[in-house]
Amino acid sequence: MPDGSKETRTPSAQDKKSLLLAHTFIESLDDEDVDRLAQHARLMTYGSGETIFRKGDPGISMLLVIKGCVRISTITSEAKEIVLNLIQAGEVVGEIALLDGKERSADATAIQFTEVLVLERRDFLPILERNPRAAIRMLEVLCDRLRRTSEQVEDLILTNAVRFARVLVRLAEQFGNEVDVGTQIDLRLSQSELGKITGTTRETLNRQLAEWREQGIIALESGRIVIRNMRALKRIGDGDR
Amino acid sequence: MPDGSKETRTPSAQDKKSLLLAHTFIESLDDEDVDRLAQHARLMTYGSGETIFRKGDPGISMLLVIKGCVRISTITSEAKEIVLNLIQAGEVVGEIALLDGKERSADATAIQFTEVLVLERRDFLPILERNPRAAIRMLEVLCDRLRRTSEQVEDLILTNAVRFARVLVRLAEQFGNEVDVGTQIDLRLSQSELGKITGTTRETLNRQLAEWREQGIIALESGRIVIRNMRALKRIGDGDR
DNA sequence: TTTAAACTATGATTTAGATCACATGTCAAT
DNA sequence: ATTGACATGTGATCTAAATCATAGTTTAAA
């Protein structure tokens, strides 16, 4: 696991502005604000496995993910790691601590080569205070997160098969890519990684995947899961065995 | 379980205004907006056990809890109920669906005699759009929720004893009342109810509580839990056995 | 003031899934 | 090509907690 070796490029404010504008999040801002942000924003890149921030860090910034994917996770007192969220290009990371000024509530790690634009609290908050549309956009983001996380709570009291099915369906919605045989999840996830998403051990997960593979419900295509029978998977996820 | 029999009083706009002003949430609004809300807000009351809304309902309103306590919960496909949140006087309920315009993501039930002020989407959203401070206040509420819910996700992959301890500590923070023997949780919760909060069966919970009672860590005082040794409970919750 | 309904307590049994153990497979680096 | 670091695949065993069963207790209603 490489660590710390974040590199920073030094692109022009113009470059940064166009990156900002490409980000869905930014559409709620007017041109001046975008300019202001572009001036102060830093562009950072992280290799796969690199830590972006850690639980407990002071949270004075928010990241717009330009490229790649960020895993939000935390390690319990019993030394189990659980993934709270996977955040892809076009979404934001670290907004909670930025907004409430408290510590980071979880760890953030790049799981691919990832580029982010870092917005500082002092640059961003004034914009929210001036621009209600931006604040409302932030509210939408948080509502979305909350719905997802509540769903995860529900998932965690379900039996494994049902939970796995629901997680796969959700991953397919988030990272899915339609191919001829079905929906491919465009993420290279090891089984232990997937285990951390579902909150189970690698072994149990492996057995379940094997079964579904035999039944033709899923398949593996160069290290990526392809869902071949989405309907069946959804049925399992609904508990209709 | 009584149902549906909501009664509505018809207080004056003045009455409603003073209720609004008493609510911590409202401090971010200016006087005109408070007046406007007071005119349209409805005061509703619910008996213990009454349903306020159900998962799947259209979410066109938000409730300010004036008095009492509301349980936010959901029933899984496997027919298990889990409590996502307990919301007491001074807090808001149902803000997510109001903000994102989607369906209610969970059921809301009064667990005591409860009074709420109902704010409609069409009255409230324009205020957010005009008043960034109110929007930022909403952001804080959501951040808070998100931190709580993420903690619950963490809790759910812990072993029961650790999880119970953490839940009790959290309930003590939220509903605690310092008495001579310790901190009393000011809620009458049956063990099955507590089970739904911790995501376990009544039986397992019962055994754990019995053990802690013998050890003098907790006690029962007229149906309410008193934490007599908070330090011990916190240590257990941290996994330091 | 008894009768029902809900809640608490605890033992016995079962079970889902974790843990352990080890074989096999893959792939990048030397 | 060989080594080593990881990832996958599967049996065997163990265990935490669910489920089942049943008795006692408190609360509220008739």
Side-chain angles (χ1 to χ4, degrees):
Chain A
M1 199 195 287
D3 197 49
S5 55
K6 327 167 177 171
E7 23 168 315
T8 311
R9 284 199 256 140
T10 49
S12 71
Q14 256 315 311
D15 291 345
K16 288 187 291 186
K17 186 175 177 186
S18 62
L19 284 173
L20 277 170
L21 287 171
H23 198 100
T24 58
F25 178 77
I26 242 59
E27 55 197 32
S28 53
L29 303 183
D30 49 40
D31 202 59
E32 296 172 66
D33 283 335
V34 177
D35 277 330
R36 204 162 332 203
L37 280 180
Q39 261 173 25
H40 296 286
R42 281 172 298 138
L43 181 66
M44 304 274 285
T45 65
Y46 298 88
S48 181
E50 275 188 76
T51 295
I52 298 176
F53 56 72
R54 279 186 198 286
K55 182 170 185 168
D57 289 352
I60 52 162
S61 61
M62 180 174 89
L63 320 176
L64 306 187
V65 181
I66 305 295
K67 187 175 188 305
C69 186
V70 176
R71 178 185 62 215
I72 306 295
S73 63
T74 154
I75 297 179
T76 69
S77 47
E78 287 169 335
K80 288 193 179 186
E81 192 178 358
I82 183 149
V83 174
L84 297 169
N85 227 329
L86 290 176
I87 292 173
Q88 57 186 333
E91 297 189 280
V92 301
V93 171
E95 70 290 348
I96 302 178
L98 177 129
L99 288 168
D100 68 13
K102 296 180 188 157
E103 297 181 341
R104 296 294 187 196
S105 59
D107 303 329
T109 317
I111 60 169
Q112 303 172 352
F113 173 82
T114 295
E115 280 182 320
V116 301
L117 269 176
V118 183
L119 309 184
E120 298 295 332
R121 183 189 181 82
R122 65 167 173 283
D123 301 322
F124 188 63
L125 276 194
I127 290 179
L128 283 190
E129 276 157 16
R130 222 167 337 97
N131 184 341
R133 286 200 58 217
I136 286 174
R137 187 71 231 290
M138 267 331 276
L139 283 170
E140 284 165 16
V141 170
L142 289 186
C143 285
D144 215 70
R145 292 280 149 83
L146 209 36
R147 280 179 189 268
R148 273 204 238 175
T149 308
S150 299
E151 249 190 277
Q152 198 178 5
V153 169
E154 277 184 67
D155 286 359
L156 284 168
I157 60 167
L158 296 170
T159 51
N160 277 343
V162 180
R163 175 149 88 248
F164 293 162
R166 289 171 55 117
V167 168
L168 285 186
V169 169
R170 223 156 325 125
L171 285 175
E173 277 162 11
Q174 211 188 338
F175 299 97
N177 187 15
E178 298 302 321
V179 294
D180 47 354
V181 273
T183 309
Q184 183 170 56
I185 295 171
D186 265 339
L187 271 183
R188 269 196 138 274
L189 293 170
S190 72
Q191 292 183 353
S192 32
E193 194 68 16
L194 241 192
K196 286 167 195 161
I197 298 175
T198 54
T200 36
T201 58
R202 202 211 89 230
E203 291 95 324
T204 326
L205 187 85
N206 176 292
R207 285 182 246 262
Q208 184 63 72
L209 292 182
E211 197 188 319
W212 284 342
R213 212 165 358 150
E214 272 164 33
Q215 297 171 352
I217 295 177
I218 62 170
L220 278 169
E221 194 79 27
S222 68
R224 290 181 181 78
I225 293 174
V226 179
I227 297 171
R228 304 185 57 178
N229 188 342
M230 182 66 82
R231 168 156 284 176
L233 208 57
K234 282 188 175 162
R235 246 188 304 109
I236 296 168
D238 287 339
D240 313 341
R241 280 249 31 44
Chain B
M1 198 195 287
D3 194 50
S5 55
K6 325 168 178 171
E7 24 167 313
T8 312
R9 283 198 257 140
T10 50
S12 71
Q14 257 313 310
D15 291 344
K16 288 186 291 185
K17 185 175 177 186
S18 63
L19 283 173
L20 277 170
L21 287 170
H23 198 102
T24 57
F25 178 78
I26 242 60
E27 55 198 28
S28 54
L29 302 184
D30 49 39
D31 202 59
E32 295 171 69
D33 283 334
V34 177
D35 277 330
R36 202 161 333 201
L37 280 181
Q39 261 174 25
H40 296 286
R42 278 173 301 139
L43 182 66
M44 302 275 284
T45 65
Y46 298 88
S48 180
E50 275 188 74
T51 296
I52 298 176
F53 56 73
R54 281 186 196 285
K55 181 168 185 167
D57 289 351
I60 54 162
S61 62
M62 178 175 90
L63 319 176
L64 306 187
V65 182
I66 305 296
K67 187 175 188 304
C69 186
V70 177
R71 177 186 63 215
I72 306 295
S73 63
T74 155
I75 297 180
T76 68
S77 48
E78 286 168 337
K80 288 195 177 184
E81 193 178 358
I82 184 150
V83 173
L84 296 169
N85 227 329
L86 289 175
I87 293 174
Q88 56 186 335
E91 296 190 283
V92 300
V93 172
E95 70 291 348
I96 302 177
L98 176 128
L99 289 168
D100 67 12
K102 296 181 189 157
E103 296 182 343
R104 298 292 188 197
S105 60
D107 302 329
T109 317
I111 60 169
Q112 304 171 352
F113 173 83
T114 295
E115 280 181 321
V116 301
L117 270 176
V118 183
L119 310 184
E120 297 295 331
R121 184 191 179 81
R122 65 166 173 279
D123 302 322
F124 188 63
L125 275 194
I127 291 179
L128 284 188
E129 276 159 15
R130 224 170 333 100
N131 184 340
R133 285 201 57 219
I136 287 174
R137 186 70 231 293
M138 265 334 276
L139 283 170
E140 284 165 18
V141 170
L142 289 187
C143 285
D144 216 69
R145 291 282 149 82
L146 209 36
R147 280 180 190 267
R148 274 205 235 173
T149 308
S150 300
E151 250 190 274
Q152 198 179 5
V153 170
E154 277 184 66
D155 286 359
L156 283 168
I157 59 166
L158 296 170
T159 52
N160 276 344
V162 180
R163 175 151 88 247
F164 292 161
R166 289 170 57 118
V167 168
L168 284 185
V169 169
R170 223 158 322 126
L171 285 176
E173 279 163 10
Q174 211 188 338
F175 298 96
N177 185 17
E178 298 302 322
V179 294
D180 47 354
V181 274
T183 309
Q184 184 171 56
I185 294 171
D186 266 339
L187 271 183
R188 269 194 137 276
L189 292 171
S190 71
Q191 292 183 353
S192 31
E193 194 67 18
L194 243 191
K196 286 166 195 163
I197 298 176
T198 55
T200 36
T201 60
R202 205 210 84 233
E203 291 95 321
T204 328
L205 188 85
N206 176 290
R207 287 181 244 263
Q208 184 62 73
L209 293 181
E211 196 189 317
W212 285 342
R213 212 164 359 149
E214 272 163 33
Q215 298 171 353
I217 295 178
I218 63 171
L220 277 170
E221 194 79 29
S222 68
R224 290 181 181 76
I225 293 175
V226 179
I227 297 171
R228 304 184 57 178
N229 188 342
M230 183 65 84
R231 167 156 287 175
L233 207 57
K234 282 188 175 162
R235 245 186 304 109
I236 296 168
D238 288 339
D240 314 341
R241 284 245 35 40

Coordinates of all heavy atoms in Angstrom, one line a residue, chain A residues 77-78, chain B residues 158-165 207-208 211-212 215 217 231-241, chain D residues 16-17:
Chain A
S77 N -13.7 -1.0 16.2 CA -12.9 -1.4 17.3 C -12.5 -2.8 17.3 O -11.5 -3.2 17.8 CB -13.6 -1.1 18.6 OG -14.9 -1.6 18.6
E78 N -13.3 -3.6 16.6 CA -13.0 -5.0 16.5 C -12.2 -5.3 15.3 O -12.1 -6.5 14.8 CB -14.3 -5.9 16.5 CG -14.9 -5.9 17.9 CD -16.4 -6.5 17.9 OE1 -17.0 -6.4 16.9 OE2 -16.8 -7.0 19.0
Chain B
L158 N -20.6 -5.0 14.6 CA -19.9 -5.4 15.8 C -20.7 -6.5 16.5 O -21.8 -6.8 16.2 CB -19.9 -4.1 16.8 CG -19.1 -2.9 16.3 CD1 -19.4 -1.7 17.2 CD2 -17.6 -3.3 16.3
T159 N -20.0 -7.1 17.5 CA -20.7 -8.2 18.2 C -21.7 -7.5 19.2 O -21.6 -6.3 19.5 CB -19.7 -9.0 19.1 OG1 -19.0 -8.1 19.8 CG2 -18.8 -9.8 18.2
N160 N -22.7 -8.3 19.6 CA -23.8 -7.7 20.3 C -23.5 -6.9 21.5 O -24.0 -5.8 21.7 CB -24.8 -8.8 20.7 CG -25.7 -9.2 19.5 OD1 -25.8 -8.4 18.6 ND2 -26.4 -10.3 19.6
A161 N -22.6 -7.4 22.4 CA -22.3 -6.7 23.7 C -21.8 -5.3 23.4 O -22.3 -4.3 23.9 CB -21.3 -7.5 24.5
V162 N -20.9 -5.3 22.4 CA -20.3 -4.0 22.1 C -21.3 -3.0 21.5 O -21.4 -1.9 21.9 CB -19.1 -4.2 21.0 CG1 -18.5 -2.9 20.7 CG2 -18.1 -5.1 21.6
R163 N -22.1 -3.6 20.7 CA -23.2 -2.8 20.0 C -24.2 -2.3 21.1 O -24.5 -1.1 21.1 CB -23.9 -3.6 19.0 CG -25.0 -2.9 18.4 CD -25.3 -3.3 17.0 NE -26.2 -4.5 16.8 CZ -25.8 -5.7 16.4 NH1 -24.6 -5.9 16.1 NH2 -26.7 -6.6 16.2
F164 N -24.6 -3.2 21.9 CA -25.6 -2.7 23.0 C -25.0 -1.6 23.8 O -25.7 -0.6 24.0 CB -25.9 -3.9 23.9 CG -26.7 -5.0 23.3 CD1 -26.7 -6.3 23.9 CD2 -27.4 -4.8 22.1 CE1 -27.4 -7.3 23.3 CE2 -28.1 -5.9 21.6 CZ -28.1 -7.1 22.2
A165 N -23.8 -1.8 24.2 CA -23.1 -0.7 25.0 C -23.1 0.6 24.3 O -23.5 1.6 24.8 CB -21.7 -1.1 25.3
R207 N -30.8 -11.0 28.1 CA -29.6 -11.7 28.8 C -28.5 -10.7 29.0 O -27.9 -10.7 30.1 CB -29.1 -12.9 28.0 CG -30.1 -14.1 28.0 CD -29.5 -15.3 27.2 NE -30.3 -15.6 26.0 CZ -31.3 -16.5 26.0 NH1 -31.5 -17.3 27.0 NH2 -32.0 -16.7 24.9
Q208 N -28.2 -9.9 28.1 CA -27.1 -9.0 28.3 C -27.5 -7.9 29.3 O -26.6 -7.6 30.2 CB -26.8 -8.2 26.9 CG -25.6 -7.3 27.0 CD -24.3 -8.0 27.4 OE1 -23.8 -8.7 26.6 NE2 -23.9 -7.9 28.7
E211 N -27.1 -9.5 32.7 CA -25.7 -9.6 33.2 C -25.2 -8.2 33.7 O -24.6 -8.1 34.7 CB -24.9 -10.0 32.0 CG -23.5 -10.5 32.4 CD -22.6 -10.8 31.2 OE1 -23.1 -11.4 30.2 OE2 -21.4 -10.4 31.2
W212 N -25.5 -7.2 32.9 CA -25.0 -5.9 33.3 C -25.7 -5.4 34.6 O -25.1 -4.6 35.4 CB -25.2 -4.8 32.2 CG -24.2 -5.0 31.1 CD1 -23.0 -5.7 31.1 CD2 -24.3 -4.5 29.7 NE1 -22.4 -5.6 29.9 CE2 -23.2 -4.9 29.0 CE3 -25.3 -3.8 29.0 CZ2 -22.9 -4.6 27.7 CZ3 -25.1 -3.5 27.7 CH2 -23.9 -3.9 27.0
Q215 N -23.9 -6.9 37.4 CA -22.6 -6.3 37.6 C -22.7 -4.9 38.1 O -21.7 -4.2 38.2 CB -21.8 -6.3 36.3 CG -21.5 -7.7 35.8 CD -20.9 -7.8 34.4 OE1 -20.8 -6.7 33.7 NE2 -20.5 -8.9 33.9
I217 N -23.7 -2.4 36.4 CA -23.4 -1.4 35.4 C -24.7 -0.6 35.0 O -24.6 0.6 34.8 CB -22.8 -2.0 34.1 CG1 -21.5 -2.7 34.5 CG2 -22.7 -1.1 33.0 CD1 -20.8 -3.4 33.3
R231 N -18.6 4.7 32.6 CA -17.2 4.4 32.2 C -17.1 3.0 31.7 O -16.6 2.7 30.7 CB -16.3 4.7 33.4 CG -14.9 4.2 33.3 CD -14.0 5.0 34.1 NE -13.7 6.3 33.6 CZ -13.0 7.2 34.2 NH1 -12.5 7.0 35.4 NH2 -12.8 8.4 33.6
A232 N -17.7 2.1 32.6 CA -17.6 0.6 32.2 C -18.3 0.4 30.8 O -17.8 -0.3 30.0 CB -18.2 -0.2 33.3
L233 N -19.4 1.0 30.7 CA -20.2 0.8 29.5 C -19.5 1.3 28.3 O -19.4 0.7 27.2 CB -21.6 1.5 29.6 CG -22.7 1.0 28.8 CD1 -23.0 -0.5 29.2 CD2 -24.0 1.8 29.1
K234 N -18.8 2.5 28.5 CA -18.1 3.0 27.3 C -16.9 2.2 27.0 O -16.6 2.0 25.8 CB -17.6 4.5 27.7 CG -18.7 5.5 27.5 CD -18.2 6.9 27.7 CE -19.3 7.9 27.4 NZ -19.0 9.3 28.0
R235 N -16.3 1.6 28.0 CA -15.1 0.7 27.8 C -15.6 -0.5 26.9 O -15.0 -0.9 26.0 CB -14.5 0.3 29.1 CG -13.1 0.8 29.2 CD -12.3 0.3 30.4 NE -13.0 0.5 31.6 CZ -13.5 -0.4 32.4 NH1 -13.5 -1.7 32.0 NH2 -14.1 -0.1 33.5
I236 N -16.7 -1.1 27.3 CA -17.3 -2.2 26.6 C -17.5 -1.8 25.1 O -17.2 -2.5 24.2 CB -18.5 -2.7 27.2 CG1 -18.2 -3.3 28.6 CG2 -19.2 -3.8 26.4 CD1 -19.4 -3.6 29.5
G237 N -18.1 -0.6 25.0 CA -18.4 -0.1 23.6 C -17.2 0.1 22.8 O -17.3 0.1 21.6
D238 N -16.1 0.4 23.4 CA -14.8 0.6 22.7 C -14.2 -0.7 22.4 O -13.1 -0.8 21.8 CB -13.9 1.5 23.5 CG -14.4 2.9 23.5 OD1 -15.2 3.3 22.6 OD2 -14.0 3.7 24.3
G239 N -14.8 -1.8 22.8 CA -14.2 -3.1 22.6 C -13.1 -3.5 23.5 O -12.5 -4.6 23.4
D240 N -12.7 -2.6 24.5 CA -11.7 -2.9 25.5 C -12.4 -3.8 26.5 O -13.0 -3.3 27.5 CB -11.2 -1.7 26.3 CG -10.9 -0.6 25.3 OD1 -10.7 -0.9 24.1 OD2 -10.8 0.6 25.8
R241 N -12.4 -5.1 26.3 CA -13.2 -6.0 27.2 C -12.7 -6.0 28.6 O -11.6 -6.2 29.0 CB -13.1 -7.4 26.7 CG -14.0 -7.6 25.6 CD -15.2 -8.4 25.5 NE -16.2 -8.8 26.4 CZ -16.9 -8.1 27.3 NH1 -16.5 -6.9 27.7 NH2 -17.8 -8.5 28.0
Chain D
dA16 P -18.4 -17.1 20.8 OP1 -17.0 -16.6 21.0 OP2 -19.1 -17.8 21.9 O5' -19.2 -15.8 20.3 C5' -19.1 -15.3 19.0 C4' -20.4 -15.0 18.4 O4' -21.1 -16.2 18.0 C3' -21.3 -14.2 19.3 O3' -21.9 -13.2 18.6 C2' -22.4 -15.3 19.7 C1' -22.4 -16.2 18.5 N9 -22.6 -17.6 18.8 C8 -22.2 -18.4 19.8 N7 -22.5 -19.7 19.8 C5 -23.2 -19.8 18.6 C6 -23.9 -20.8 17.9 N6 -23.9 -22.1 18.4 N1 -24.5 -20.6 16.8 C2 -24.5 -19.4 16.3 N3 -23.9 -18.3 16.8 C4 -23.3 -18.5 18.0
dA17 P -22.8 -12.1 19.3 OP1 -22.5 -10.8 18.6 OP2 -22.6 -12.2 20.8 O5' -24.2 -12.6 18.9 C5' -24.5 -12.8 17.5 C4' -25.7 -13.6 17.3 O4' -25.5 -15.0 17.7 C3' -26.9 -13.1 18.1 O3' -28.0 -12.9 17.3 C2' -27.1 -14.2 19.2 C1' -26.7 -15.4 18.3 N9 -26.4 -16.6 19.1 C8 -25.8 -16.7 20.2 N7 -25.7 -18.0 20.7 C5 -26.3 -18.7 19.7 C6 -26.6 -20.1 19.6 N6 -26.2 -21.0 20.5 N1 -27.3 -20.5 18.5 C2 -27.7 -19.6 17.6 N3 -27.5 -18.3 17.6 C4 -26.8 -17.9 18.7

